[in-house]
Amino acid sequence: MLILFLSGILIFVILLPVNKDNGSYKNKKSTDVSLSGGSADLGIADTKLENAALDKYKKGLEKELEDFLMNVEGVGDVKVLIYMKSSQEFIVEKNNPTSSSTSGDSSDLKKEESTVYTTNANGDEVPFISQTKGPAIDGVVIAAKGASNEAVKLQIVRLVMALYGVEANKIEVLPMQSENVS
């Protein structure tokens, strides 16, 4: 009898609703939101700042690929242009409680989603961002001195596919214009 009583108390304590101001839970979520790019307002941030950050990210990828390709045998001088499909994507945490009901011969399973909220530095309640996905690359154009050689061209396409997960039909490798044009 004592074991049943203690088990009942344990279940009651476990099922008690948790206050929103629970210290460690609140602090962890606030930190995660602030680490996700500083945009706790989910896209309400200044569009110019987002475009500048996207441009900086894109230029960094272009420079990194150019520097690497210049060191590959047969490629020579390189100019890279990367097109981005979208900006950053924020994945909002959702609760997925399920409830089932059985009545006679049939049973129903219902799923209801609700957004998980946290408090930001200003004390405002904002959705909890569980994951941030970087912008997707939509296409890559590369001009290289050695691109007239088909083996080098194929090597560059395979490299870009491996590095960025871009499909081959979205990668174009062109021979670079020679400097002696009059």
Side-chain angles (χ1 to χ4, degrees):
M1 195 67 162
L2 182 62
I3 292 174
L4 286 174
F5 177 72
L6 292 175
S7 297
I9 291 175
L10 180 63
I11 291 173
F12 178 75
V13 169
I14 290 173
L15 296 177
L16 275 176
V18 178
N19 188 0
K20 285 185 182 179
D21 296 327
N22 184 352
S24 63
Y25 182 72
K26 177 182 171 186
N27 291 340
K28 178 187 179 301
K29 291 199 172 208
S30 294
T31 303
D32 289 346
V33 169
S34 65
L35 292 175
S36 67
S39 179
D41 295 330
L42 290 177
I44 300 176
D46 189 14
T47 307
K48 290 182 183 179
L49 291 176
E50 286 183 20
N51 289 340
L54 179 64
D55 193 44
K56 183 177 179 182
Y57 175 72
K58 183 178 81 139
K59 294 290 183 196
L61 288 177
E62 290 172 351
K63 177 75 172 132
E64 183 180 49
L65 187 57
E66 284 175 3
D67 290 345
F68 183 78
L69 286 174
M70 283 186 196
N71 294 315
V72 175
E73 184 177 343
V75 176
D77 290 335
V78 176
K79 181 70 179 157
V80 175
L81 185 60
I82 295 178
Y83 287 96
M84 302 305 245
K85 189 176 201 173
S86 62
S87 62
Q88 282 187 330
E89 181 181 348
F90 298 105
I91 309 298
V92 177
E93 185 70 27
K94 300 272 186 176
N95 284 336
N96 292 328
T98 56
S99 61
S100 61
S101 63
T102 55
S103 59
D105 295 335
S106 65
S107 63
D108 294 330
L109 182 65
K110 296 180 182 179
K111 279 187 152 181
E112 295 180 20
E113 288 188 340
S114 62
T115 304
V116 176
Y117 289 93
T118 187
T119 307
N120 66 8
N122 298 334
D124 299 327
E125 198 170 83
V126 293
F128 175 65
I129 299 170
S130 62
Q131 186 179 15
T132 304
K133 292 184 179 180
I137 296 175
D138 194 34
V140 180
V141 179
I142 300 171
K145 289 262 187 188
S148 54
N149 182 343
E150 286 299 317
V152 172
K153 196 177 204 177
L154 181 61
Q155 190 177 17
I156 293 172
V157 170
R158 286 184 177 168
L159 175 86
V160 173
M161 287 173 62
L163 284 176
Y164 301 119
V166 179
E167 300 156 2
N169 65 335
K170 294 185 176 189
I171 303 168
E172 190 64 41
V173 181
L174 306 167
M176 187 176 270
Q177 179 178 341
S178 63
E179 307 256 345
N180 297 343
V181 177
S182 303

